[in-house]
Amino acid sequence: MKAKTFIDQVEVLVRSGKGGDGSCSMRREALVIMGGPDGGDGGRGGDVVFKASEHINSLLSLYYDPKCFAQDGEAGKGQKMFGKRGKDLVIPVPLGTEVYDADTDLLIADITEPGQAVVVAKGGAGGFGNVHFKSSVNQAPTEHTPGGEAEEKRLRLELKTIADAGLLGFPNAGKSSLLSVLSSATPKIASYPFTTLNPVVGTIVYDDFAKIRMADVPGIIEGAAKGVGLGLAFLKHLERSKVLVYVIDMAGTDNREPWTDYKILKKEIDEYSAELAERPYLVVANKLDTVAAQENLARFKEETGVDPICISCESREGLETFKSALREIVQPKTKFHHTHADAPDLKDMPDTSGDELPAEALKFATFLKLEKPKAKSHPSRGNIH
């Protein structure tokens, strides 16, 4: 049996730690008469925490280990010794994970920020020892309280890939090839349908270090919105995309008609989600390096009324036009500390080949923040930074 390599939905059982019981103890020590109560408190039970991690992209670990139990707190002891707190169980999950209550289908958390931590099961409180119950009228109390009960839930986790742009297209349309030439991603590329079986995310990096995340999902076929093919299993990974990119095989591989493919793709998105269908989109005509694509392009424009961005992953033509159009819609943040329009012209940069770097050359290092830092208030003035 072939092992699974990608899981985007899993059901788990989580249970926090039980609180430790408080202790009932009396001080017994030589030469100490009527020492009184000295029972310590129980330790708090551990929490179950889901924490976002940028280093994983699947719920595979939870698929193979669906029982998530935190450590119980230890009971208190005599001599006012408090029980040890149970350790929290911190479980890394990929960005874009939605956490639902499996019984009520209520959304508990949407984990989208790096480092975001969500407590899904809170540990029980530690019980009080009898030292808490002493008073002038109750000098030898035996009262003590048990630790709080553990919290147990059945949760359903669903992963929806976080990407600025989502690639849509029929099998063999060239989505994986487009992703591979624009980013450092290495999706599987082959000349047969459904080469891509799992979502693959790559990052497009611009000259000013602005970044756009682009996701490639498995090929869509007619009826995908109703579950045909891989269907709904991967259409959900487009729900967070700011822009949809329709990749059309303009060469008409396997006797397909590009204009018909485009209409089917639009129809499937409309049926799957009206809100997703209203998102901004780009239409990319791929494989323009072939003769058939050149012939089909004119009819595609006539049939659909759409003027697509023409590209070729083989010859790298049109890729810069596509990147510019994508950037205009997504508008990613730049790493520069000034606008791209105000960037200095590199032709004016002084000679830097000498042993010392001229001071004027520093203004061309646009990734540096050269402004003078603001003065900090003195702590004695009540404004501590």
Side-chain angles (χ1 to χ4, degrees), residues 62 101 132 145 213 215 225 244 281 365-366:
L62 288 172
D101 188 308
H132 286 278
T145 60
R213 286 169 57 88
L244 301 180
Y281 66 90
T366 50

Side-chain angles (χ1 to χ4, degrees), residues 180-238:
S180 66
V181 298
L182 291 178
S183 71
S184 298
T186 56
K188 184 177 180 181
I189 299 174
S191 59
Y192 55 84
F194 296 110
T195 310
T196 301
L197 297 176
N198 307 316
V200 181
V201 179
T203 302
I204 303 174
V205 182
Y206 291 83
D207 293 338
D208 58 355
F209 303 103
K211 296 179 180 180
I212 292 179
R213 286 169 57 88
M214 189 162 65
D216 172 25
V217 300
I220 294 175
I221 61 175
E222 189 170 6
K226 299 178 181 178
V228 178
L230 297 177
L232 296 172
F234 292 107
L235 279 176
K236 65 182 180 183
H237 289 283
L238 300 172

Side-chain angles (χ1 to χ4, degrees), residues 15-19 72 122-124 147-152:
R15 185 171 67 206
S16 64
K18 179 184 179 299
D72 293 338
K122 195 170 184 60
E149 293 297 322
E151 191 175 354
E152 183 173 305

